[in-house]
Amino acid sequence: MAEKRPKSSRPWLLKLALEEYETERDYPFAGDDHTAVLRHADRGKWYGLIMTIPYRRLGLNQEGLVHVLNVKADPILAGSFRCESGIYPAYHMNKQSWLSILLDGTVPKKTIRTLLDISYSLTAPKKGSGKKGAFRISKWIVPANPKFISMEEILEEDENGTFCFKQSSNVCVGDTVYIYVAAPVSAIRYQCEAVEVNIPDDYQDENLRVTRLMRLRLLKTLDRKPIDLPLLREHGVLSVRGPRSIPLSLLEEINRAYPDE
């Protein structure tokens, strides 16, 4: 008996790739009309791979087949994404910088769309090639746990419009940093700009280890309309356990709620 055909958002994904990136599906493997490669139109580089594999190939104790999408992610942020349900180290590809996403409904479409967009950008031509510049994350969400960090105290000590915060991933000068305050607040409360990075530090206690700091300038306090966890989840951000990129749709939501004055 043939295995049951998997439930899948694969048709939606192929339609999205065509409409958003003008990508026609490509079946490069002889005799295989299921494994579809998504390529950049200008030079043919992969930014996505759609496969049909057994659940067990991903280490899941579940029978049957499932469609998955492999995408590239920043290695620094890939670990955060792998904490989400339905996202795993990539099957059959580099597990440090590629992810496998279940297409069986486990992962929200907004999250799939965000990850596909990141993969498309990360695999775009690099600067100096005469083509579109390389993608680099410049707008971040970083967590602050109120059990260990009091943002109110930090801001009260601020004398020159800036404050120091634990260095987060590859934040560069000029990047926008949104600070998410964990439970019980569970919301993005501060929008900042990085004005200095990679400041040496040496601090450790039972909860925190800090080797580098970044200096941030507070731009806005987001306290009129909550940018809370339920809203984040609507835009594919299921949790904020570490520094991560901010989806474009969520950024637009924040800009509507807090327009520049």
Side-chain angles (χ1 to χ4, degrees):
M1 177 185 293
E3 293 195 64
K4 185 178 179 180
R5 188 175 183 179
K7 174 186 175 182
S8 177
S9 53
R10 184 178 189 271
W12 164 83
L13 179 60
L14 291 170
K15 184 172 182 288
L16 173 69
L18 179 62
E19 293 176 350
E20 292 291 321
Y21 311 110
E22 299 182 353
T23 300
E24 294 282 357
R25 69 194 73 178
D26 177 20
Y27 299 101
F29 305 111
D32 183 350
D33 59 357
H34 296 287
T35 303
V37 172
L38 305 179
R39 302 179 186 269
H40 287 271
D42 56 355
R43 56 176 182 164
K45 187 170 183 178
W46 296 16
Y47 68 90
L49 175 66
I50 303 172
M51 299 180 290
T52 306
I53 63 174
Y55 279 99
R56 292 186 179 275
R57 293 281 177 87
L58 296 173
L60 301 175
N61 187 23
Q62 185 172 341
E63 298 296 336
L65 301 174
V66 63
H67 288 146
V68 300
L69 168 67
N70 279 9
V71 292
K72 190 169 187 177
D74 186 318
I76 295 174
L77 301 179
S80 296
F81 287 121
R82 286 194 292 266
C83 292
E84 310 297 346
S85 178
I87 302 177
Y88 302 92
Y91 170 71
H92 225 299
M93 297 182 78
N94 186 314
K95 291 177 169 49
Q96 297 299 315
S97 55
W98 286 77
L99 303 169
S100 283
I101 308 168
L102 297 184
L103 299 179
D104 62 355
T106 303
V107 181
K109 287 183 176 179
K110 286 183 178 179
T111 302
I112 297 172
R113 186 171 190 149
T114 295
L115 288 168
L116 186 66
D117 188 60
I118 290 173
S119 184
Y120 184 88
S121 299
L122 285 173
T123 54
K126 299 185 182 300
K127 291 181 179 179
S129 67
K131 301 177 182 179
K132 182 179 177 181
F135 172 83
R136 191 190 70 79
I137 295 169
S138 62
K139 293 178 172 57
W140 304 80
I141 307 174
V142 303
N145 190 331
K147 293 181 181 179
F148 313 130
I149 300 173
S150 171
M151 289 301 302
E152 289 78 9
E153 291 181 5
I154 290 176
L155 293 171
E156 283 177 3
E157 296 174 358
D158 172 21
E159 296 180 352
N160 58 359
T162 66
F163 61 94
C164 285
F165 198 85
K166 181 180 179 181
Q167 174 78 32
S168 297
S169 297
N170 290 332
V171 173
C172 294
V173 171
D175 286 359
T176 303
V177 177
Y178 292 88
I179 298 179
Y180 172 88
V181 181
V185 178
S186 301
I188 293 177
R189 291 297 305 276
Y190 308 100
Q191 178 183 344
C192 308
E193 178 188 7
V195 296
E196 187 178 358
V197 298
N198 296 320
I199 304 169
D201 192 48
D202 186 14
Y203 174 82
Q204 184 171 5
D205 60 23
E206 64 274 17
N207 300 309
L208 191 62
R209 168 69 169 150
V210 180
T211 59
R212 293 181 300 156
L213 296 170
M214 56 184 175
R215 186 174 297 279
L216 304 177
R217 177 182 292 117
L218 178 64
L219 301 178
K220 294 179 184 179
T221 299
L222 311 183
D223 56 0
R224 295 196 310 273
K225 178 181 178 182
I227 310 297
D228 55 13
L229 189 56
L231 179 61
L232 267 63
R233 285 174 172 165
E234 289 181 16
H235 294 274
V237 180
L238 305 185
S239 64
V240 184
R241 296 188 179 94
R244 57 161 297 160
S245 61
I246 183 167
L248 178 59
S249 60
L250 178 57
L251 184 62
E252 292 172 345
E253 186 87 31
I254 294 173
N255 290 338
R256 282 194 295 269
Y258 296 91
D260 291 332
E261 297 177 355

